[in-house]
Amino acid sequence: MNHKVKSFPKKNILYFIFFSVLSISLFSCEPKDEMISTDKSNRISFSPDTVFFDTLYTGFESPVQRASIKNFNKEALNISRLYLQTGENSPFRLTINGIKRQEATDIFLRGNDSLRIFLDIIPPTLNTDGITKLEDFLVVESNGNIEKLPLIVWLQDGILLEDSVLDCQTVWSGKKPYIVKGNVLVDENCKLTIEAGVKVVFLTDAALLVAGSLEINGNSTENVKLGSFRNDGAFENALGQWFGILFGENSKNNRISYAMIENAKTGIRFGTPDNDTIPDLVIENTIIRNMADAGVFCLNSDVLIQNTLIHNCLNRTFSAGAGGNYYFYNNTFANFGFNFFREEPSFELSNTLAFVDTTGNEQIIREDLKAYFINNIIWGSIDEELILFASPQAGFQTFWNANLLKTKLVDASLPNILNQDPKFEDAFNGKYGLDSLSPAINAGLDIGLEIDLEGKARDSNPDIGAFEKE
């Protein structure tokens, strides 16, 4: 049987050949960003241009920093070698493509792409009191070029205290920071003295517990710093990184002078009920800031605060419950919530405390409260910054003179400045000195405080608040 073979038109054959060739060329063509350039003018760059580690403490692993090696060229590059300049002796450690190693070779870097490097440190022991700067370089070799990324860290030896009870008459002094892990206790009838220039850092949820007495002796040139273990980057002003300073109910004779207390859950918790009105805690020339709950929280206590700034607290700058006797002279209580949402007043006084006891029953404590206010600023970002809760079943007395207040709760006939902007220098950046147009300037009473929070002289017409305008 004969079969006729249908001829394929010549025109169709030409189309077939053309598209076959085109298809082959498309699939076999190497994209330009994958073609490795050997041109020496094609270089890499770094971001950032220097990697900094803020002060780290020996014996503790560092946070992880990131660096990117960027190829802004259209063609790919071969990184022939990537390494640390000081080699295996470097305190820095690299993680490259998910692998911890101190050197890598022949890394392909596509055009207009980047390689991310992770760096950390295990700080070596230094056996010195001061802060030591260590440096190294991340070195990248490609196309005969050698590029270097500076790596810088400041290190310091510290004195570690972990879940311990201090000796009965302990003094903290010197340049080495004290590092608190867990709880450190000042026992009853014992005293901890912290001298000027000392820095105390607390790991997560760590606390200083004071059943006895605490004396902090900073001065106008060297304060005492109590803060979080981490203060790098986003942790610098982060709330709630440690628990705070907690005083027991029998604690007496406490004084905090020229201190910086920051980044805790509550800066100071004080509850020492007794039968007198003599302050068991004096806070002066101190800054308390960045608290996840309250700057100072008191229960039926006798407390004097003067020349002090308390600001940036998620809940209260100051809170007192279950009565007590409180004395406030030339302080600034300011709460704006620049980095959190606020909807409640920041300053609270109450002669009542309700709580649930260990058996699950609600208990209520009502005790007399007296509070004296002279030359204070209480200000913030919401319309009412005071809570004054007075149960008729206990006494409640407040005395207000020459204060600048954001409130509708204080009698307008009293000699205070109500609801006028104090005009801080720059509250957003934590500068609560007074602008030259502030109504608080020369509006205070002379009560014998000769200096302000920073040690500047006050004149016979002092300014309201913690800072005297020069």
Side-chain angles (χ1 to χ4, degrees), residues 50-58 60-66 92 119-123 126 131-134 151-157 177 199 201 225 228-237 241 262-263 289:
T50 305
V51 174
F52 292 99
F53 287 82
D54 204 352
T55 304
L56 303 177
Y57 304 106
T58 58
F60 293 89
E61 288 193 34
S62 74
V64 175
Q65 299 277 29
R66 297 174 176 84
F92 298 92
L119 301 102
D120 65 335
I121 302 171
I122 296 183
L126 302 170
I131 297 175
T132 300
K133 180 182 179 183
L134 297 182
L151 311 176
I152 297 174
V153 61
W154 285 269
L155 298 176
Q156 189 172 20
D157 286 339
K199 182 177 183 180
V201 297
K225 296 180 179 179
S228 52
F229 179 79
R230 290 194 63 177
N231 60 5
D232 55 294
F235 291 89
E236 183 178 7
N237 297 309
Q241 297 184 64
E262 60 183 353
N263 302 351
R289 65 185 185 184

Side-chain angles (χ1 to χ4, degrees), residues 31-35 42 71-76 110-112:
K32 194 168 186 179
D33 64 354
E34 293 185 1
M35 295 176 61
N42 288 352
N71 176 15
F72 287 115
N73 305 290
K74 293 181 180 179
E75 298 86 10
R110 190 189 301 271
N112 292 310

Side-chain angles (χ1 to χ4, degrees), residues 167-186:
D167 291 341
C168 203
Q169 298 296 322
T170 294
V171 178
W172 290 352
S173 61
K175 297 301 182 183
K176 286 186 178 182
Y178 291 81
I179 302 170
V180 177
K181 184 178 182 181
N183 297 325
V184 168
L185 173 66
V186 183

Side-chain angles (χ1 to χ4, degrees), residues 45-108:
S45 60
F46 296 110
S47 178
D49 58 10
T50 305
V51 174
F52 292 99
F53 287 82
D54 204 352
T55 304
L56 303 177
Y57 304 106
T58 58
F60 293 89
E61 288 193 34
S62 74
V64 175
Q65 299 277 29
R66 297 174 176 84
S68 293
I69 301 170
K70 295 181 176 289
N71 176 15
F72 287 115
N73 305 290
K74 293 181 180 179
E75 298 86 10
L77 291 174
N78 178 56
I79 297 175
S80 54
R81 189 179 177 211
L82 186 158
Y83 58 98
L84 292 165
Q85 181 167 287
T86 57
E88 294 298 327
N89 295 322
S90 177
F92 298 92
R93 300 186 301 180
L94 304 178
T95 301
I96 307 166
N97 286 331
I99 302 172
K100 282 190 177 295
R101 47 185 166 170
Q102 299 298 78
E103 181 175 340
T105 58
D106 294 324
I107 299 174
F108 175 80

Side-chain angles (χ1 to χ4, degrees), residues 130 141 237 268 288 300:
E141 296 181 3
N237 297 309
I268 294 171
I288 300 172
N300 193 17

Side-chain angles (χ1 to χ4, degrees), residues 379-393:
W379 198 259
S381 56
I382 64 175
D383 292 338
E384 178 60 67
E385 290 293 350
L386 288 182
I387 295 175
L388 304 177
F389 183 84
S391 168
Q393 294 172 271

Side-chain angles (χ1 to χ4, degrees), residues 312-366:
N312 204 44
C313 302
L314 184 60
N315 194 6
R316 309 275 191 260
T317 53
F318 179 89
S319 179
N325 298 280
Y326 304 97
Y327 310 86
F328 303 96
Y329 307 127
N330 279 102
N331 303 293
T332 298
F333 301 92
N335 228 15
F336 287 89
F338 292 118
N339 54 351
F340 52 80
F341 178 73
R342 292 191 62 225
E343 57 182 0
E344 290 193 7
S346 70
F347 197 103
E348 178 181 26
L349 295 175
S350 174
N351 59 3
T352 302
L353 177 70
F355 64 97
V356 177
D357 64 20
T358 55
T359 63
N361 296 315
E362 185 178 54
Q363 303 291 335
I364 299 177
I365 300 174
R366 298 181 182 91

